[in-house]
Amino acid sequence: MSIVSISNLSFQYARNTIPTLQNINLEINKGDFILLCGPTGCGKTTLCRCLTGLIPHFHSGYFEGDVLIDGLNTKNVPVYRLAKKVGMVFQNPENQLIAMNVERELGFAMENLGYPPETIWEKIEEIIEQFQLQTLRKKAPFELSGGEQQKVAIASILTLDPDIIILDEPTSNLDPLAAEKILGLLKKLNLERNKTIILIEHRLELVAPLINRLLLMDKGKLILDAPPEKALRDKKLKNLGIGIPKIIQLYELLEKEGIHFEKIPLTPFEFAEAIQSIRET
Ligand SMILES: Nc1ncnc2c1ncn2[C@@H]1O[C@H](COP(=O)(O)OP(=O)(O)OP(=O)(O)O)[C@@H](O)[C@H]1O
Ligand SMILES: [Mg+2]
């Protein structure tokens, strides 16, 4: 069974005159690592709000269709119950971090759900250890760097151990090194704990090697759903002005010159390997 099943989903914010999501159908499997992309305003964040239940429970509007999370219909389940299934890190994590310090932040979600204090502290210690937050535990959110804020935001949603983790442009305020660290952490959660990851991200070259599916949206519609090797070569991406990785551009140039690789490379390493194998043949 799919962990997420969306059928005929349409949504229009109460204040808007046109629908933001139009007849979305989507099945997501447990363990999928998905990149969700599309031009600004196409509805990426709105679609993710539908997965967390924030739509329809907090954002009012015209909602049609069904979103099932692990079999639960979001229409009928309160957001706090869905939080155990799906955690979302918002576009600006500094707005999401509200407690006085990191350790309180980590306990916040469990406190709200009424867990006993011993269970909460046990979990806080486990997460601090796992994410190596020892030196940050007494710091206030505003004392953290952008990368540290992201890490704490991810750590705090994991206290509820959700199967699905959604991140809305997690690397947009980070330098390349911090971005790679956060993406590496996500890949680890995906590989080692079979977490389903949904990532909204503009830097395709950083995420392409991590994902197994790329979803492209335009004007509230899902217009492409394919593995990265295929999706990155689809004209729809270029037509929407989405910057495709340099490696893919280079691959296509070489292809035009009659040089064919067996497999489409997604990392510089794979590219080097492909070149090597051509030289050997
Ligand atoms: N809370 C809201 N109330 C009313 N309209 C909204 C709200 N949030 C988003 N919208 C509208 O819905 C449309 C889609 O917005 P959304 O934020 O989902 O796009 P996005 O693909 O995430 O864009 P971006 O890449 O800029 O983050 C836009 O026209 C936006 O103005
Ligand atoms: Mg957005």
Side-chain angles (χ1 to χ4, degrees), residues 24-80:
I24 306 265
N25 288 285
L26 176 65
E27 301 287 322
I28 296 176
N29 298 315
K30 194 165 161 53
D32 271 351
F33 196 137
I34 292 179
L35 168 66
L36 178 58
C37 60
T40 182
C42 71
K44 303 178 295 292
T45 299
T46 303
L47 179 60
C48 292
R49 285 183 186 143
C50 291
L51 297 176
T52 60
L54 286 174
I55 294 177
H57 295 293
F58 284 106
H59 297 271
S60 55
Y62 175 70
F63 182 96
E64 206 177 36
D66 292 287
V67 177
L68 305 186
I69 305 289
D70 204 10
L72 300 175
N73 194 318
T74 57
K75 270 190 269 195
N76 310 326
V77 182
V79 171
Y80 71 84

Side-chain angles (χ1 to χ4, degrees), residues 240-275:
L240 288 171
I242 293 174
I244 61 166
K246 290 232 163 42
I247 280 184
I248 300 289
Q249 294 176 21
L250 197 51
Y251 168 86
E252 288 183 344
L253 273 177
L254 290 172
E255 202 178 39
K256 270 195 202 133
E257 297 294 322
I259 300 168
H260 294 285
F261 291 170
E262 262 174 45
K263 195 172 146 267
I264 296 173
L266 293 176
T267 63
F269 182 75
E270 284 175 9
F271 194 85
E273 272 190 333
I275 295 275

Side-chain angles (χ1 to χ4, degrees), residues 74-98:
T74 57
K75 270 190 269 195
N76 310 326
V77 182
V79 171
Y80 71 84
R81 264 191 70 201
L82 290 167
K84 293 187 201 174
K85 305 264 178 205
V86 33
M88 178 161 169
V89 178
F90 297 97
Q91 216 152 349
N92 301 307
E94 69 268 28
N95 301 339
Q96 188 164 2
L97 305 175
I98 42 182

Side-chain angles (χ1 to χ4, degrees), residues 190-249:
N190 175 245
L191 286 177
E192 292 175 8
R193 294 177 58 197
N194 203 27
K195 298 290 182 195
T196 306
I197 315 271
I198 302 169
L199 196 61
I200 300 177
E201 178 61 64
H202 290 294
R203 293 197 238 180
L204 265 54
E205 72 282 0
L206 283 182
V207 290
L210 310 176
I211 60 175
N212 68 321
R213 270 170 96 178
L214 185 151
L215 304 183
L216 177 64
M217 286 180 74
D218 185 32
K219 300 190 185 79
K221 293 194 177 120
L222 207 51
I223 59 166
L224 179 67
D225 175 1
E229 295 81 3
K230 194 158 169 251
L232 290 170
R233 303 198 57 205
D234 197 293
K235 290 218 163 45
K236 291 189 197 110
L237 278 181
K238 280 180 212 148
N239 293 344
L240 288 171
I242 293 174
I244 61 166
K246 290 232 163 42
I247 280 184
I248 300 289
Q249 294 176 21

